Amino acid sequence: MTQSSSMPAILQAVMKGQPRALLDEHYPRWHHAPVTGLMNDPNGFVWFSGRWHLFYQWNPLTPDHKYKCWGHWSSADLLHWRHEPLALMPSQDYDRNGCYSGSAVDNQGRLTLCYTGNVKFDDGGRTAWQCLAVENERGEFDKIGPVLALPEGYTGHVRDPKVWQHNGRWYMVLGAQDKDKRGKVLLFSSPDLHVWDSEGEIAGNGINGLTDAGYMWECPDLFELGGRHVLICCPQGIAREPERFLNVYPAACLIGDFDYSTASFRHGELNELDAGFEFYAPQTAQAPDGRRLLVGWMGVPDGEEMLQPTLANGWIHQMTCLRELTLQNGKLYQRPIAELAALREEEQFWQGIAGEAPSLDALRLELLVDICGSLDMDFGGALKLSVNEQGVTLQRRSLASGEWLSRYWKGTVSSLQILCDSSSVEIFINQGEGVMSNRYFPQHPSRVCFNGASEVTLRYWSLRSAMVE
């Protein structure tokens, strides 16, 4: 399907699908979500020319993964967002099977997209091209075409370029799979975004002592934070542990030190980035004030996504809230960005025994909980949270079998910050030491109920809607 021939179908899908999505009781009131169809990875998160830009993987035609465009939102303040023209559609031989994930940069005053052109062959094989597109005066993007072919020694699974500039030179990390089916992160450098030199493998299965670390590493993002370097990634195929890496595919991080002169990254152990049921393909950007911000897809590929009830209304998935990253005591902390406090309505306060606490409307809610002991919380009968001396346990019923599934965060818990939307609950533990992101599908109006004999202090706010214009 060419770009020109697909546009009428996309316009029809949006016109017919958006009213259904907006009427769905599970459609988010203040998170990013597709107007119709399927949305997954955040792409091209960047501050450019006085505005934030957030692109995203989008199939507007139907809620499945078969057709991938880049949608586009922008904002001046990270709160009020507007729709921009569709950025990329599969229209050329080099991206005919999808404009896959990537990043965006300011290249001499021009907003430039760096993305993977996905190509599949009739014999089941595939290849990938790393491509560029440049914004024109209409706010649309002109494709420049491929600038990097499939590197030698790797399968067709090479994708997700994250590009940045350091000391006047461009750098790119790519997720990859070598010929031995081991996941890797590749590094390239360039003087101009067009001619790229390989700097080798900097992380992955078989590197720096990591063994049995999966068959494919997706969505890498390398950045400096607090005097160290952080690599976030999505390693596919790592073994599940009793209480870690329980999702089909997890998101993870490595903390260490990257040396540009030797293109080497020395790092510690691989840690889960989010311990909840849904979190994948996060991407970061640096704010003008120096903050490192993150947004992720509140979904997981190949799990139970195609059983979610929103499919009946023609849409699926949403983004996480925007988060600020910091390093503290060698750990990566995530907190909701400060700008989100502007969504708060009147503050409420309650203190006492947990089992005597009032139930709260869960539709649009921010809740701060100070804890001195154990606590149980129930979110509309569809998600259960328990805190004890070991940490946090979340439980939710499988959409396939109906059995209760569990996710865990281990450690001493002193406080929770919980953000609720129509069909999501994000839990920040100890001011961001741990995070658990989750979709859930209660019957509305749903309420948050408390149980337990411990003393708790609650501060909470209803949150205003913040729909994309």
Side-chain angles (χ1 to χ4, degrees), residues 127-142:
T127 191
W129 301 91
Q130 310 313 317
C131 308
L132 298 181
V134 178
E135 188 178 30
N136 60 34
E137 65 277 1
R138 299 184 303 278
E140 301 169 351
F141 287 85
D142 299 322

Side-chain angles (χ1 to χ4, degrees), residues 123-371:
D123 64 2
R126 65 191 297 164
T127 191
W129 301 91
Q130 310 313 317
C131 308
L132 298 181
V134 178
E135 188 178 30
N136 60 34
E137 65 277 1
R138 299 184 303 278
E140 301 169 351
F141 287 85
D142 299 322
K143 292 180 179 179
I144 304 301
V147 294
L148 183 64
L150 191 69
E152 187 176 350
Y154 299 89
T155 73
H157 292 281
V158 177
R159 53 182 173 265
D160 310 333
K162 181 66 192 295
V163 179
W164 73 99
Q165 196 170 36
H166 177 78
N167 287 345
R169 190 167 180 85
W170 294 102
Y171 290 85
M172 172 199 296
V173 283
L174 281 169
Q177 180 186 74
D178 69 16
K179 294 290 189 179
D180 293 324
K181 303 295 178 67
R182 296 178 302 178
K184 305 285 187 176
V185 175
L186 312 183
L187 179 71
F188 292 82
S189 69
S190 170
D192 59 4
L193 293 180
H194 291 265
V195 178
W196 291 92
D197 298 320
S198 174
E199 304 288 352
E201 300 173 350
I202 63 166
N205 193 345
I207 299 175
N208 287 339
L210 282 181
T211 58
D212 300 321
Y215 57 79
M216 174 65 192
W217 280 32
E218 291 194 316
C219 304
D221 189 350
L222 179 67
F223 52 90
E224 186 176 355
L225 187 68
R228 307 293 305 280
H229 286 87
V230 178
L231 176 70
I232 60 177
C233 53
C234 295
Q236 297 185 333
I238 62 175
R240 295 186 180 187
E241 300 178 10
E243 296 181 340
R244 288 201 317 163
F245 300 119
L246 293 173
N247 290 339
V248 176
Y249 303 127
C253 71
L254 294 165
I255 299 172
D257 298 290
F258 178 72
D259 187 335
Y260 281 92
S261 65
T262 60
S264 61
F265 180 45
R266 301 179 64 86
H267 58 76
E269 66 176 326
L270 188 70
N271 285 312
E272 204 165 26
L273 193 57
D274 188 298
F277 284 97
E278 275 92 16
F279 184 85
Y280 199 75
Q283 188 170 111
T284 74
Q286 188 166 26
D289 60 11
R291 289 179 298 165
R292 177 62 59 169
L293 308 185
L294 174 146
V295 61
W297 169 34
M298 209 182 298
V300 176
D302 299 338
E304 294 187 350
E305 58 176 329
M306 291 305 160
L307 299 175
Q308 293 184 13
T310 67
L311 286 169
N313 288 308
W315 71 279
I316 186 172
H317 296 314
Q318 67 175 61
M319 296 298 181
T320 67
C321 75
L322 293 168
R323 302 169 181 183
E324 179 183 353
L325 302 181
T326 56
L327 272 184
Q328 299 181 41
N329 302 318
K331 293 182 178 181
L332 186 65
Y333 278 62
Q334 303 175 59
R335 295 186 182 91
I337 58 171
E339 287 86 344
L340 289 178
L343 296 179
R344 293 171 174 172
E345 296 182 328
E346 184 178 355
E347 180 176 345
Q348 305 291 325
F349 177 87
W350 188 88
Q351 188 173 38
I353 301 302
E356 300 173 2
S359 66
L360 307 177
D361 186 346
L363 183 63
R364 292 173 285 107
L365 175 69
E366 178 179 358
L367 170 64
L368 302 182
V369 186
D370 290 329
I371 307 168

